[in-house]
Amino acid sequence: MELIPLSGIDASMIDLVGGKAAGLGEMIKAGERVPGGFCVTVEPYRSGQLPERELAEAYQRLGGGRVAVRSSATAEDLPEASFAGQQDTYLNVEGAGELIGAVRRCWDSLFTERAVAYRAAAGIADAAMAVVVQRMIDPVAAGVLFTANPITGCRAETVVDAAPGLGTAVVEGSVVPDHYVLGEHAPIAADPPGCLDAEQLERLRAAGTRLQRHFGSPQDVEWAIDADGTLRLLQSRPVTTLFPQPPDTGDTRLYLEIGHVQGMLRPCTPMGVSLLKAGAALWFEAAGARVDRRDPLPRLVPIGGRLYFDVTDFLRNKGMRGRLGPSLEIYGPRVQNAVRHMLDDPRFAPRPGLPFHRGSAIRGTLRLLPVVVAGVVSSLAAPARGRARAFRGVAEIKRLLTPPGESATAAERLRWVIEDSHKPIMSIDMHGILGPLSAGMIAGTIPAALLKGVATEEELGTVLGGMPYNVTTRMDLELWSLSVRAREHRDLFLGTPPEELAAAYFAGELPDVGMAGFLQKYGMRAAAEIDVGVPHWDEDPAPLFATIANYLRVDDPAQAPDRRFAAAAARAEAMIVTLSRRARRRRPVRGRLAVFFMRRSRELTGLREIGKFAWLPAIQAARRQLLLVGADLAGRGLLERGDDIMFLTLGEAREAVRDGADQRRLAAARRAEHERELRRPAVPGALLSDGTDVETLAPAPPAQDGVLTGMAGAAGRATGRARVIRDPQGARIEPGEILVAPTTDPGWTPLFMTAAGLVTETGSQVAHGPTVAREYGIPAVICVRDATREITTGQLITIDGVAGTVRLEPE
């Protein structure tokens, strides 16, 4: 089938007619007014033979005259990629000869540099080109409408941009259009300014509502109004840039993204969220809280695969709402200001009642407080014993992990994952870890309050450098030791792709540099390691081989990570001596207390990573069991492949194991959604239930030319070439470069050891990235909005980890 009238097309024919034509056919079937036309299907494109005679005859049947010739690629106007402007459109084409030439030029536009790059970025490997031919109309006004606000994400607003004449000027951005934002039910002004009147705007809003209802998602619509006042719709496609909307609860809710505190902005798999909730529920039960096993942590809501916390009830509580802003400092200034902005919103006005069960809070406090206080006091009094107790706790948790044996059934394995995998770690005091960990965090923060006006932030940051006893720092230094052993095989490790080195390691074909021992200790680690759905280093050590290659490029002995770490530790000790003299002279009592806590911080604050480190073996063991369950389900035809189980929840996996539920379609859809979300460049830090990105509502900070503003992460200044990295997998960073990343977690930290500094788009001062940066003695600036887009690899930048700024240096 080579030519089809638009009225004969529907959504099922997208592979034949492309996205644009499929959308036009659906609009016609829905009763909307669409200029008449036809589609040249992908068959002539694929054969390379354009049916010129049939094309000319169809043109004459259309009435001849002027037509619009528009691309309609199979990878166009899709739910996950709009391809807006990536292929060509030709207007006012007249005559069969011109029409034939325009169709061929549309074909050619599939392979322009911009279209090829867009497909690659969207993860689309192949596409074919159909072409739409439609009658031209002469509009008095035209433009675009969005059935959701594309800037704020609000689903309750329709946005219309309009200009006199053809709408291409609006689409191309060559004019300043009239801009209208229409509330869902808000009345439209009787005499709105611009080229549209109230009646026309109401018709547009109604058309958008109909199209959104028909297509089932927010739509980006091109439209035109002709001289007779008739509204004609020229295109409707999904709005692909919107962040997924939170679940509908019938109420306006405010959600804060919490993953970035752990350095995790990539989407979490459904199994990862499910296991996290099930595991955490065990701790809350141990603390005396009432837990609904159907949803153990209802305030923890996955949205777009990211972890959000529902703070609505805290915001509406009269006693807590005033304290909420200062408590959000760990989120950075943008989110903090956004939440403060919501305090004046009448939807979050105070209401009676507490956001938690009073009885659960009292029971939890009575059980937890004595344990923590005793652990903190004893650790501050005898830090060496406190550290030993914490590391004994890690060993005890590993000892208590006893997964099912080889003969276990899938049902037994799944039951162990749900009921037993997290029991060892989720005791009330985490087997003695919680007290020393808390003591270290307290000791690390108190000196700032005691030395206010005596010591600068940079000096206090120096005290936290080269911090011993951090399990992540130890890991990175041990990886450096592997690279030292790899020097005699330098050409092999530098000249072979990391994936090939990983394959050779598993095949036993690599020189022994100590990788087996390293993986035995740290194989449960990776980027996004708290997600059970993510392969960890014991399954895929390629990132480690990439890091070893980075370390082998260090040719300046002074830049060796072990020397840099030791130098940071020496600066910290010297700074404590300096501050001790100054503080005791100016504030004798406070000075002595500050020195005590600074010394204790050197003994205990490095333990801040140990809680998560102790948790990882449980996640690793659960992953191994889940993969075995998934393999069993795949063998029974209930999943396509074993690791598809990571795109189910624990409950859905139980349905498959117990009841034989076929989960193939569900898992495939979830996997596709997850892969789309992996490509999302930005994630809202604060989100309303109507989809509004709250940061877009708060007043923007004053801009400075050539300066990006964020938040202080780790003290110090550095100038160097930027290295923008969005995923640590196989990443390369040259010694002395400044790492620019969306976020970081322990899976990223091996890159820090040769970097001159760190810039991230999210994070908090207590998150892994800036903490480890402080310990390595490198400056860090966090919460720099759009840093990975505003900064390019190779660009010379200067970062100030005290001021929280990144200066783009002139070349």
Side-chain angles (χ1 to χ4, degrees):
M1 196 179 299
E2 296 183 326
L3 279 77
I4 310 176
L6 292 179
S7 58
I9 293 173
D10 61 36
S12 69
M13 304 167 70
I14 189 168
D15 290 339
L16 180 66
V17 301
K20 188 178 277 99
L24 291 168
E26 283 291 326
M27 284 195 288
I28 293 171
K29 282 187 165 33
E32 303 295 344
R33 291 184 174 177
V34 175
F38 59 89
C39 175
V40 183
T41 72
V42 300
E43 290 183 357
Y45 169 81
R46 288 194 167 119
S47 70
Q49 300 295 318
L50 182 62
E52 297 183 1
R53 181 173 60 81
E54 291 83 351
L55 181 59
E57 290 173 353
Y59 170 63
Q60 291 304 320
R61 287 195 298 273
L62 194 61
R66 294 177 298 119
V67 294
V69 182
R70 312 171 70 194
S71 66
S72 182
T74 53
E76 189 170 347
D77 294 0
L78 302 177
E80 65 272 15
S82 71
F83 278 80
Q86 299 306 309
Q87 280 90 220
D88 288 347
T89 290
Y90 299 94
L91 304 179
N92 294 310
V93 174
E94 190 165 8
E98 281 192 29
L99 174 59
I100 290 167
V103 171
R104 292 191 183 279
R105 289 195 296 277
C106 277
W107 282 3
D108 293 341
S109 70
L110 190 64
F111 292 100
T112 61
E113 185 176 344
R114 68 174 186 270
V116 171
Y118 188 101
R119 284 198 299 277
I124 297 171
D126 190 27
M129 178 67 79
V131 178
V132 169
V133 179
Q134 287 179 283
R135 290 194 190 97
M136 280 293 301
I137 61 172
D138 293 316
V140 295
V144 296
L145 77 85
F146 290 85
T147 64
N149 192 317
I151 303 301
T152 67
C154 179
R155 281 16 178 231
E157 293 177 342
T158 295
V159 175
V160 177
D161 279 355
L166 289 171
T168 50
V170 175
V171 175
E172 294 168 357
S174 58
V175 299
V176 178
D178 298 328
H179 184 70
Y180 307 90
V181 178
L182 314 176
E184 192 170 20
H185 303 294
I188 298 170
D191 187 23
C195 62
L196 299 179
D197 60 32
E199 187 271 337
Q200 291 169 325
L201 287 170
E202 186 54 54
R203 277 197 287 151
L204 282 167
R205 177 162 64 180
T209 300
R210 292 194 303 270
L211 290 171
Q212 178 167 296
R213 188 180 303 120
H214 179 80
F215 287 106
S217 65
Q219 296 290 297
D220 165 4
V221 183
E222 292 184 23
W223 57 270
I225 298 174
D226 63 19
D228 296 329
T230 302
L231 171 63
R232 300 189 185 275
L233 304 180
L234 310 178
Q235 179 172 294
S236 187
R237 62 189 175 202
V239 183
T240 61
T241 58
L242 295 174
F243 191 73
Q245 190 173 2
D248 184 9
T249 64
D251 184 21
T252 300
R253 314 293 295 180
L254 175 63
Y255 302 90
L256 294 185
E257 199 277 326
I258 62 172
H260 80 271
V261 177
Q262 287 291 331
M264 182 176 169
L265 273 188
R266 59 173 288 153
C268 194
T269 60
M271 185 60 75
V273 176
S274 187
L275 185 63
L276 189 154
K277 285 192 171 195
L282 296 174
W283 187 87
F284 281 101
E285 286 178 334
R290 288 185 290 176
V291 174
D292 184 348
R293 284 296 180 139
R294 292 168 299 179
D295 187 1
L297 299 178
R299 283 197 174 93
L300 188 65
V301 182
I303 307 171
R306 280 75 179 188
L307 300 175
Y308 282 81
F309 187 78
D310 184 349
V311 296
T312 309
D313 296 333
F314 297 90
L315 200 64
R316 287 173 175 163
N317 181 269
K318 183 179 288 187
M320 295 182 178
R321 66 197 324 260
R323 304 189 193 103
L324 202 55
S327 70
L328 297 176
E329 286 185 5
I330 63 170
Y331 277 89
R334 295 199 317 271
V335 171
Q336 194 176 20
N337 290 338
V339 174
R340 283 188 176 129
H341 184 75
M342 286 292 99
L343 292 173
D344 297 325
D345 191 309
R347 294 173 293 181
F348 296 102
R351 297 182 183 180
L354 290 170
F356 47 79
H357 295 292
R358 190 188 303 271
S360 293
I362 293 172
R363 284 193 300 274
T365 301
L366 292 176
R367 292 184 187 184
L368 187 61
L369 193 60
V371 174
V372 173
V373 169
V376 168
V377 171
S378 63
S379 297
L380 289 175
R385 284 203 295 270
R387 284 198 314 274
R389 187 163 61 251
F391 284 106
R392 281 198 306 272
V394 174
E396 178 67 4
I397 289 166
K398 285 184 179 180
R399 188 187 67 80
L400 292 172
L401 276 172
T402 53
E406 291 184 10
S407 62
T409 65
E412 290 167 340
R413 295 185 191 282
L414 186 60
R415 187 209 60 76
W416 181 85
V417 169
I418 295 171
E419 298 180 13
D420 297 334
S421 66
H422 280 53
K423 276 184 180 176
I425 181 66
M426 294 302 175
S427 67
I428 188 71
D429 68 341
M430 299 171 66
H431 290 279
I433 292 174
L434 196 56
L437 187 158
S438 301
M441 296 180 73
I442 291 169
T445 55
I446 284 182
L450 293 173
L451 296 179
K452 192 172 184 179
V454 175
T456 66
E457 288 185 26
E458 187 167 5
E459 289 171 328
L460 291 168
T462 300
V463 171
L464 299 175
M467 190 70 71
Y469 313 117
N470 185 313
V471 289
T472 299
T473 304
R474 284 182 177 178
M475 174 191 77
D476 293 341
L477 290 171
E478 286 185 39
L479 188 57
W480 165 255
S481 298
L482 265 61
S483 72
V484 173
R485 295 178 63 178
R487 285 174 183 168
E488 60 181 297
H489 311 287
R490 177 184 173 87
D491 291 343
L492 172 66
F493 284 94
L494 281 177
T496 308
E499 295 77 15
E500 293 182 21
L501 290 170
Y505 167 74
F506 285 126
E509 298 169 356
L510 271 191
D512 181 12
V513 297
M515 182 60 75
F518 182 89
L519 289 176
Q520 188 174 4
K521 291 176 66 174
Y522 302 111
M524 73 286 197
R525 309 215 75 169
E529 59 198 4
I530 64 169
D531 181 0
V532 74
V534 172
H536 292 185
W537 287 339
D538 62 337
E539 296 174 63
D540 179 18
L544 300 175
F545 288 111
T547 301
I548 288 172
N550 287 334
Y551 292 169
L552 288 172
R553 296 185 181 98
V554 176
D555 51 17
D556 179 359
Q559 293 302 312
D562 52 351
R563 291 198 184 183
R564 291 176 64 181
F565 185 77
R571 287 194 297 271
E573 294 293 341
M575 183 58 68
I576 291 175
V577 173
T578 299
L579 293 180
S580 172
R581 291 171 181 163
R582 187 191 305 166
R584 288 178 177 178
R585 187 170 60 249
R586 295 174 59 178
R587 297 180 181 174
V589 176
R590 281 193 176 192
R592 284 180 170 80
L593 279 173
V595 171
F596 171 82
F597 282 110
M598 283 190 287
R599 292 292 182 196
R600 288 300 184 262
S601 75
R602 301 293 302 170
E603 296 267 6
L604 295 167
T605 300
L607 295 177
R608 71 166 304 280
E609 298 276 334
I610 200 169
K612 181 180 173 185
F613 185 78
W615 181 21
L616 293 175
I619 295 175
Q620 181 188 42
R623 176 174 172 81
R624 290 171 177 168
Q625 296 301 311
L626 286 168
L627 289 174
L628 290 171
V629 175
D632 178 82
L633 294 175
R636 293 162 55 190
L638 303 176
L639 290 175
E640 288 292 340
R641 43 194 269 197
D643 64 347
D644 275 351
I645 195 171
M646 300 306 173
F647 298 96
L648 304 178
T649 65
L650 288 168
E652 291 159 353
R654 186 192 287 118
E655 289 174 9
V657 170
R658 183 187 60 199
D659 305 328
D662 187 340
Q663 305 287 25
R664 287 176 295 181
R665 182 175 297 180
L666 176 62
R670 295 251 186 88
R671 183 186 286 274
E673 180 184 356
H674 182 80
E675 290 174 353
R676 285 196 299 270
E677 285 299 321
L678 283 171
R679 296 191 291 270
R680 185 175 295 279
V683 176
L687 193 66
L688 290 181
S689 50
D690 64 8
T692 300
D693 179 349
V694 181
E695 289 182 53
T696 65
L697 305 179
Q704 302 179 55
D705 288 343
V707 176
L708 306 178
T709 302
M711 181 178 176
R717 296 168 188 80
T719 298
R721 299 286 174 184
R723 174 72 67 169
V724 179
I725 298 175
R726 293 179 174 83
D727 189 326
Q729 180 81 14
R732 171 179 173 178
I733 184 167
E734 296 288 342
E737 290 182 326
I738 295 174
L739 172 61
V740 181
T743 186
T744 59
D745 70 357
W748 288 76
T749 57
L751 296 172
F752 293 13
M753 299 186 66
T754 54
L758 171 68
V759 178
T760 64
E761 294 178 329
T762 65
S764 72
Q765 290 178 325
V766 299
H768 300 286
T771 297
V772 176
R774 288 192 293 269
E775 291 169 4
Y776 289 168
I778 63 173
V781 180
I782 60 177
C783 299
V784 181
R785 191 179 180 95
D786 299 328
T788 60
R789 284 181 281 179
E790 296 285 344
I791 302 169
T792 58
T793 293
Q795 189 170 17
L796 188 66
I797 62 174
T798 296
I799 67 171
D800 188 325
V802 175
T805 58
V806 181
R807 180 176 297 279
L808 311 180
E809 299 290 358
E811 297 278 354

